[in-house]
Amino acid sequence: MSPSTPYYQTQSAVLFIIFNRPDTTQKVFEQIKAARPARLYVAADGPRQSVQDDTTHCKQARDIATAIDWDCELKTLFKEKNAGCKEAVSSAITWFFDNEEEGIILEDDCLPANSFFRFCDTLLDKYRPDTRIRHISGANFQHGKKWGDATYYFSNITHVWGWASWKRVWKDYDKELSRYNENDVKEKLANIFADPLIVESWHHIFKELKAGKIDTWDFQLGFTNYFNNSLCIVPNYNLVSNIGFNGNATHTTQANNLSANIPLTEIVEMEHPLYFLAEKKADEFTFNHEFNIAERRRKHNLPLRRFKRWLKSLLTK
């Protein structure tokens, strides 16, 4: 935004989830501070005893995220011991929705544009009673490709790098995916995704989650939304950039990742889509990168291509 442009002040409550990165925490907090939420929730996991400087860095991040200098009700949930990503983040969001009917969630590496807050406010209000819509994302991974003429499009993917939602959605959250079993899931995923390699990828993730091999919280929300036949909102312009790709991150460790540090765009006006249909091609574009679908398909089809070349050589002799 230009220096002369006034910052939008959000009407929504904000949950800020932090841990041990004071540098990114400071940058994200400055954007929250500019949006001046009237209610700010700050949740922090505890330091890891096995990691040097964790205690110091956790304290620094907490001091930054609670330096309120505007009219704001501040609530904190600070863990003394480290609970890990899965437990710490999911319990923070549960705490938030125990106190709020709806709101905006940001983690300490998700840098929002100021208009992200207006985007969320507008859509939280517009789709509050519409149970077709379960998730509002701030991040866009289409790298310049627009889907339709509206400000946003509908997707089946639940992006969580800066997002907003309602208590009505989070009440279905199942951290352990206890309601679902492996025997049914692959067939159900095939009702959502036409590409068998995408189905295979999600089925593998589901099995790893059920086995406790992935310490995360967000895939579970994605599965919950998939199995409730939901639509998620994705802006046609990137409103949140992940600035945390480095060796200190928990999951996003590759600094040269295509999804790292995507430039932010500010939006002024909101144009709503006419059709309530997921843009399947947009989702396929995202999964092709995330799951390396094209390369896997190439390797999968390699023996068949060799056989066809061999057969063609016989026919041309």
Side-chain angles (χ1 to χ4, degrees), residues 222-294:
F223 280 116
T224 301
N225 286 337
Y226 287 149
F227 299 151
N228 280 278
N229 194 31
S230 72
L231 292 174
C232 301
I233 291 172
V234 178
N236 260 320
Y237 313 89
N238 189 53
L239 302 179
V240 178
S241 181
N242 192 306
I243 59 172
F245 277 80
N246 58 51
N248 295 324
T250 302
H251 296 117
T252 53
T253 56
Q254 298 174 325
N256 62 346
N257 190 290
L258 187 64
S259 299
N261 300 298
I262 300 174
L264 293 173
T265 300
E266 296 287 357
I267 56 175
V268 179
E269 297 182 359
M270 291 281 288
E271 193 73 30
H272 304 287
L274 177 61
Y275 298 100
F276 283 72
L277 297 167
E279 292 286 358
K280 296 290 188 178
K281 294 296 183 182
D283 289 356
E284 288 174 9
F285 179 86
T286 299
F287 288 139
N288 186 56
H289 167 64
E290 292 296 320
F291 297 147
N292 200 19
I293 296 298

Side-chain angles (χ1 to χ4, degrees), residues 140-153 234-238 279 281-283 285-286:
N140 175 286
F141 301 100
Q142 300 300 304
H143 302 286
K145 169 67 175 175
K146 283 188 65 179
W147 298 90
D149 297 325
T151 308
Y152 57 94
Y153 65 89
V234 178
N236 260 320
Y237 313 89
N238 189 53
E279 292 286 358
K281 294 296 183 182
D283 289 356
F285 179 86
T286 299

Side-chain angles (χ1 to χ4, degrees), residues 288-305:
N288 186 56
H289 167 64
E290 292 296 320
F291 297 147
N292 200 19
I293 296 298
E295 178 64 15
R296 288 165 58 193
R297 183 171 289 111
R298 186 189 69 80
K299 291 180 178 180
H300 180 77
N301 292 335
L302 191 59
L304 178 60
R305 296 214 308 269

Side-chain angles (χ1 to χ4, degrees), residues 7-237:
Y7 283 96
Y8 174 78
Q9 296 184 16
T10 185
Q11 304 302 303
S12 298
V14 174
L15 168 63
F16 190 24
I17 302 172
I18 64 173
F19 179 36
N20 66 348
R21 289 189 281 182
D23 54 344
T24 61
T25 298
Q26 181 70 62
K27 293 176 182 178
V28 178
F29 182 71
E30 287 300 320
Q31 290 299 90
I32 295 173
K33 180 179 177 179
R36 301 174 69 86
R39 298 183 308 287
L40 177 63
Y41 296 74
V42 180
D45 198 3
R48 297 161 295 183
Q49 297 303 311
S50 60
V51 178
Q52 188 177 10
D53 297 329
D54 237 19
T55 299
T56 299
H57 291 159
C58 285
K59 183 182 185 305
Q60 290 172 344
R62 294 178 186 193
D63 290 344
I64 290 167
T66 55
I68 307 299
D69 64 357
W70 70 95
D71 187 12
C72 175
E73 179 185 355
L74 174 67
K75 295 184 179 182
T76 60
L77 180 66
F78 293 164
K79 294 187 180 299
E80 294 184 8
K81 297 181 179 179
N82 186 264
C85 180
K86 176 181 176 181
E87 177 59 35
V89 178
S90 63
S91 63
I93 301 171
T94 297
W95 167 64
F96 181 57
F97 284 121
D98 281 345
N99 289 277
E100 299 287 342
E101 291 295 321
E102 61 191 36
I104 296 169
I105 295 93
L106 286 163
E107 294 186 61
D108 60 4
D109 55 1
C110 297
L111 182 69
N114 181 247
S115 55
F116 164 73
F117 295 97
R118 184 193 299 272
F119 183 76
C120 291
D121 281 357
T122 302
L123 299 178
L124 283 169
D125 179 65
K126 180 177 178 62
Y127 295 114
R128 186 174 295 125
D130 192 337
T131 55
R132 292 174 298 179
I133 313 301
R134 292 174 62 91
H135 191 87
I136 301 164
S137 170
N140 175 286
F141 301 100
Q142 300 300 304
H143 302 286
K145 169 67 175 175
K146 283 188 65 179
W147 298 90
D149 297 325
T151 308
Y152 57 94
Y153 65 89
F154 295 112
S155 168
N156 288 134
I157 305 177
T158 304
H159 296 304
V160 294
W161 290 357
W163 56 287
S165 191
W166 301 266
K167 177 185 288 189
R168 64 170 168 81
V169 176
W170 190 256
K171 68 178 178 57
D172 296 329
Y173 181 74
D174 184 358
K175 182 176 61 179
E176 306 300 338
L177 296 172
S178 57
R179 290 173 291 175
Y180 308 111
N181 66 74
E182 187 181 326
N183 295 332
D184 298 332
V185 161
K186 190 168 188 179
E187 177 186 349
K188 301 306 179 186
L189 289 169
N191 289 336
I192 306 168
F193 306 111
D195 191 322
L197 288 181
I198 294 177
V199 172
E200 178 185 299
S201 298
W202 277 116
H203 188 230
H204 174 73
I205 291 170
F206 181 86
K207 291 191 293 184
E208 294 287 286
L209 287 169
K210 290 285 279 187
K213 295 181 179 179
I214 307 177
D215 180 29
T216 193
W217 65 275
D218 52 334
F219 286 139
Q220 295 91 321
L221 180 59
F223 280 116
T224 301
N225 286 337
Y226 287 149
F227 299 151
N228 280 278
N229 194 31
S230 72
L231 292 174
C232 301
I233 291 172
V234 178
N236 260 320
Y237 313 89

